[in-house]
Amino acid sequence: MCITRTVDSAAAQAAAGNTKAVADGDRMSQASGITVDESTKILNIEDPNNKDELSKKFEHLFNANDPKKGGSLYLQAKVIRARERIEMHWAQEKLKAEQEELMAKQEEPSAESEAFEDKKTDSSGKESDKQK
């Protein structure tokens, strides 16, 4: 009975972790099977947006786990997966920023359209101020 509770507890914790990733709306984590937080821990980096630190840590861990040098293929694959997940995070952030920029541009009327609205041309070709 004690073993069953331990297994059930571990399964519940795993399910809670997956629920949290889905609840956060992180579809990339769901698709890749790893979160950005897990990736930063695997690569031992503080900031996932620091490309220089990521590059250095990735190269070191990749080479340290090279199976030809007595390393672990499994760990090397985890290092690769962690880097790929962070790169997906960068792409996701870039796309989000581009979408926000586009939305901001669509919300702001251009200076030309405002000037056009302020003045109207009458039938004689003369401009007259728009009455509000």
Side-chain angles (χ1 to χ4, degrees):
M1 191 188 273
C2 183
I3 295 172
T4 306
R5 286 185 189 164
T6 305
V7 171
D8 289 343
S9 176
Q13 289 175 355
N18 288 338
T19 303
K20 183 181 182 301
V22 173
D24 290 342
D26 193 357
R27 294 183 185 179
M28 292 291 188
S29 294
Q30 197 174 17
S32 69
I34 189 170
T35 65
V36 173
D37 186 49
E38 289 170 321
S39 297
T40 58
K41 289 177 182 175
I42 290 168
L43 294 171
N44 193 26
I45 60 176
E46 296 289 324
D47 180 14
N49 295 316
N50 186 338
K51 294 181 181 186
D52 290 333
E53 183 184 18
L54 173 80
S55 179
K56 289 175 186 175
K57 294 285 185 159
F58 170 78
E59 187 174 334
H60 169 73
L61 292 170
F62 183 84
N63 291 330
N65 290 295
D66 188 353
K68 294 177 184 175
K69 299 175 184 175
S72 167
L73 181 62
Y74 174 78
L75 292 177
Q76 193 179 48
K78 286 294 241 185
V79 169
I80 293 169
R81 180 70 58 124
R83 184 198 64 193
E84 289 173 345
R85 177 60 184 95
I86 291 174
E87 288 172 347
M88 284 194 285
H89 171 72
W90 293 340
Q92 190 178 24
E93 291 296 314
K94 182 179 178 183
L95 181 61
K96 183 178 176 182
E98 288 172 355
Q99 289 174 343
E100 288 174 355
E101 184 180 326
L102 182 61
M103 293 290 284
K105 284 182 180 179
Q106 289 177 348
E107 289 176 0
E108 294 178 8
S110 68
E112 292 175 357
S113 65
E114 287 179 5
F116 180 75
E117 289 294 324
D118 288 341
K119 300 215 180 246
K120 295 246 178 188
T121 305
D122 63 12
S123 60
S124 64
K126 296 180 183 177
E127 290 184 349
S128 62
D129 288 331
K130 178 181 174 184
Q131 295 180 358
K132 295 183 181 180

